[in-house]
């Protein structure tokens, strides 16, 4: 077994254990492998190990890797901060965007649709900190933003995404996120996704109802130097 396969199996075992402890079925949890700064060859190896869901947080990497690996059946998730001017290229490459945090971005992604396009899955990112510079909409703007997504004819509102703050326990932060997820489901009952949890806090995220985990170096290994 390769080192990559061993790391993948170890993370999947952690996910299964956490799901059992939370009284959940691990099959209901999607593991997204984040391949930031890693080459397309690593994604190809991941695919050979059964990985389908892959995440990128830079538009350039998303586009380049998705084009190079276009013959593979992969589901690309964009999880980083997105400029409106790059909305079109991200929409062309991604099946889901987890980081929608403002109305202008909603409108840009909707306008980027072309005839015959499938609906783009969208999650509203919630800022769980008091720092407005951090990514995500403030909780008091969440419902209005969710309504804007739900009204966009080419977007599918799927749920919420957040990153746990550094100065708060993940369990507390993700419990709050679960409450915000209920607000979004009041707008769109089918918006059941909760994208939360990374390598260090996946157990707490699963306990609080996370449906999508964003796992990077615990699977991929140390990131190469940025180029």
């Amino acid at each position: 077994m390769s080192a990559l396969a061993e790391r993948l199996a170890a993370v999947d075992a952690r996910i299964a254990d956490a799901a059992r402890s939370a009284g959940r079925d691990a099959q209901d949890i999607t593991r997204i492998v984040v391949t930031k700064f890693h080459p397309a060859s690593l994604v190809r190896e991941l695919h050979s190990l059964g990985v389908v869901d892959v995440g990128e947080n830079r538009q350039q990497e998303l586009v380049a890797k998705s084009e190079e690996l276009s013959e593979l059946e992969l589901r690309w998730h964009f999880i980083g901060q997105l400029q409106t001017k790059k909305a079109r290229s991200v929409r062309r490459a991604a099946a889901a965007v987890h980081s929608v945090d403002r109305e202008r971005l909603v409108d840009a992604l909707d306008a980027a649709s072309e005839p015959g396009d499938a609906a783009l899955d969208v999650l509203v990112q919630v800022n769980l900190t008091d720092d407005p510079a951090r990514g995500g909409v403030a909780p008091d703007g969440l419902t209005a933003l969710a309504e804007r997504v739900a009204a966009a004819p080419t977007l599918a509102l799927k749920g919420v995404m957040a990153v746990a703050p550094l100065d708060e326990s993940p369990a507390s932060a993700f419990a709050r996120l679960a409450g915000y997820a209920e607000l979004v489901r009041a707008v769109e009952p089918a918006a059941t996704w909760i994208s939360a949890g990374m390598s260090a806090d996946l157990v707490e995220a699963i306990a609080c109802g996370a449906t999508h985990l964003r796992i990077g170096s615990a699977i991929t290994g140390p990131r190469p130097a940025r180029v």
Side-chain angles (χ1 to χ4, degrees):
M1 183 181 291
S2 70
L4 181 64
E6 288 179 354
R7 291 192 296 267
L8 181 65
V11 167
D12 284 348
R14 289 178 61 202
I15 292 170
D17 287 345
R20 267 193 303 274
S21 295
R24 299 180 59 194
D25 186 344
Q27 297 298 315
D28 296 332
I29 300 168
T30 299
R31 175 252 296 129
I32 301 167
V33 183
V34 181
T35 60
K36 180 179 180 180
F37 300 153
H38 288 279
S41 59
L42 182 131
V43 181
R44 190 177 295 278
E45 186 177 355
L46 285 165
H47 181 265
S48 74
L49 296 171
V51 170
V52 174
D53 292 275
V54 183
E56 292 292 341
N57 61 2
R58 295 202 309 165
Q59 174 262 346
Q60 300 95 320
E61 283 195 81
L62 169 72
V63 172
K65 291 176 188 175
S66 64
E67 289 178 352
E68 184 173 343
L69 303 170
S70 60
E71 81 282 6
L72 301 182
E73 291 191 14
L74 293 167
R75 179 175 172 84
W76 293 94
H77 299 253
F78 186 79
I79 61 175
Q81 298 307 257
L82 179 58
Q83 296 174 305
T84 54
K85 66 181 180 181
K86 297 181 178 179
R88 185 170 298 277
S89 63
V90 165
R91 172 142 201 178
R92 298 270 68 76
V97 176
H98 291 229
S99 49
V100 171
D101 59 0
R102 59 199 186 281
E103 292 186 353
R104 285 185 60 228
L105 183 53
V106 175
D107 296 343
L109 287 168
D110 186 36
S113 174
E114 295 182 359
D117 279 354
L120 177 68
D121 291 341
V122 165
L123 293 93
V124 176
Q125 183 176 358
V126 186
N127 187 350
L128 298 180
T129 77
D130 294 325
D131 181 1
R134 295 291 297 272
V137 64
D140 61 4
L142 175 59
T143 296
L145 185 59
E147 289 172 345
R148 186 67 161 254
V149 175
T154 73
L155 305 181
L157 178 61
K158 288 295 186 178
V160 295
M161 183 272 261
V163 178
L166 296 175
D167 59 352
E168 181 181 358
S169 74
S172 171
F174 293 146
R176 287 194 291 121
L177 181 62
Y180 298 143
E182 292 183 9
L183 296 178
V184 172
R185 286 196 298 274
V187 174
E188 171 51 75
T192 57
W193 294 13
I194 299 178
S195 174
M198 296 184 283
S199 301
D201 53 23
L202 66 85
V203 172
E204 293 89 345
I206 289 170
C208 290
T211 62
H212 291 67
L213 307 171
R214 308 181 305 273
I215 311 296
S217 58
I219 293 173
T220 63
R223 288 174 180 160
R226 178 173 178 172
V227 294

